[in-house]
Amino acid sequence: MHSNIIIIPMMVALLIPFYEAYRDDNVWQKLLAFSSIACKTALITLVASVLRDDWMIGVVGVLILSVGNAGLMLLAHIVKRVNEA
Amino acid sequence: MSNGSFYIDAIALLLPLSAAMVVTQANPYYSLITRGILGAVAALIYTLLGAADVALTEALVGTLLAIALYAVAVRSSLVMRLGVLQDEVPKNAATSTPDHAGEGTGNRTDDEAIAHPFNQLLTELRTLFNQYHLRVELVPYDNPQLLHQALLQKDIHATCVHASIAAAPYQLTTRVRRLYEILQAGLSPDLIQLNHVTVSDAAASHYQPSDIGSVLVGEEKS
Amino acid sequence: MTENITSFVGYAFIALGIFLWFWGTSFLPRKRSLLFKLHTLSVSDILGSIAIIIGLLVKLPSEWPLLILAIFSLAIWNTILGYVLAYCSSAGVDHE
């Protein structure tokens, strides 16, 4: 019950960058939407793990939170190189 | 756990949605970004269903490694390498090395440089190939022999040199049939003169240095 | 009584975080400049997420190592990511 109250608004917030990634045609706007989605999904994982009192899922949530950012930076640099050439 | 299944079902609907977005995306870079979104959503669903190890693998391998590898692969394969002569290219045209292009060479808005016919041609080429998500990369060569040799050895996809007698100011020779068709459909004939040469695999591998003389004659005739 | 107060404070923080999420993300579909969107999005994603995590921390203190780690990871990595995105995108625009 409590978990539904918290997670359902988070899910609705997740839908906004989803729509943006579908609609916008600029590569940077899409990347921005992706970064937002990556952060939000990791945080939903973390909240679900804490509410279920499940340590294993929580560790995975934190790992996804930090690793997703690293991958995004890599992708941003490659896209920048492509735009320059 | 039983009361949690409602929002898991709702989130699971996002998975086919993002997968459809990946499949219908025409631009390879956009579909890479959408693939990242798909990976994030998939990892979320796997963790909510209790499969933490699968989710971690999806995030590390499926999203991080796959996107990095595909980004490098797409960047290095979707490119047209255009061989040019060193002294025919204006100094501030972007060459093959992106490091040089990054240091403010493109920022200088030199009127003379913009008006240079080669830069106009390059702009035309880039807008044309942007529709096919191709980059145009300039590869400068010192003399016509090396340029032609590179074309025969499949180092470059096309060459672009000054045409001395022809109606068009530049002459572009390509060895790829599809590139020739795209260029023919997209560029006006008074801007550039197009040629297509067939380079067989045998010619590329058994190329002898003694052929340079005949190549040079052919180049000067044009 | 104290249980009720901590529970309320926890929910208040979580509500604040979710409100920040909605506020910052609502600028994303609008026609604004990229850097403006990046600013609101980093405010919402970093501050909102940290508020949600603090709310969880107040409600359920037993999982504190995980949550503290998440706060540090958010505060450091997302800030650097925001900087990298801004740097890369503005460098791309300058060359147009």
Side-chain angles (χ1 to χ4, degrees), chain A residues 3-4 7-8 11 14 44-45 48-49 52 57, chain B residues 1-16 41-51:
Chain A
S3 60
N4 276 359
I7 288 187
I8 287 175
M11 263 181 51
L14 179 64
I44 292 177
T45 309
S49 85
R52 286 184 196 173
I57 290 180
Chain B
M1 187 66 100
S2 60
N3 61 8
S5 60
F6 166 69
Y7 64 81
I8 292 182
D9 287 348
I11 290 179
L13 282 178
L14 289 179
L15 195 60
V41 173
L44 174 64
I45 293 171
Y46 297 156
T47 43
L48 288 182
L49 292 175

Side-chain angles (χ1 to χ4, degrees), chain B residues 179-211:
Chain B
L179 282 182
Y180 180 72
E181 286 163 7
I182 290 174
L183 286 166
Q184 203 173 30
L187 288 182
S188 69
D190 56 335
L191 190 69
I192 197 163
Q193 184 194 346
L194 291 172
N195 287 328
H196 178 254
V197 291
T198 313
V199 179
S200 63
D201 286 332
S205 54
H206 298 293
Y207 186 77
Q208 296 296 320
S210 60
D211 291 346

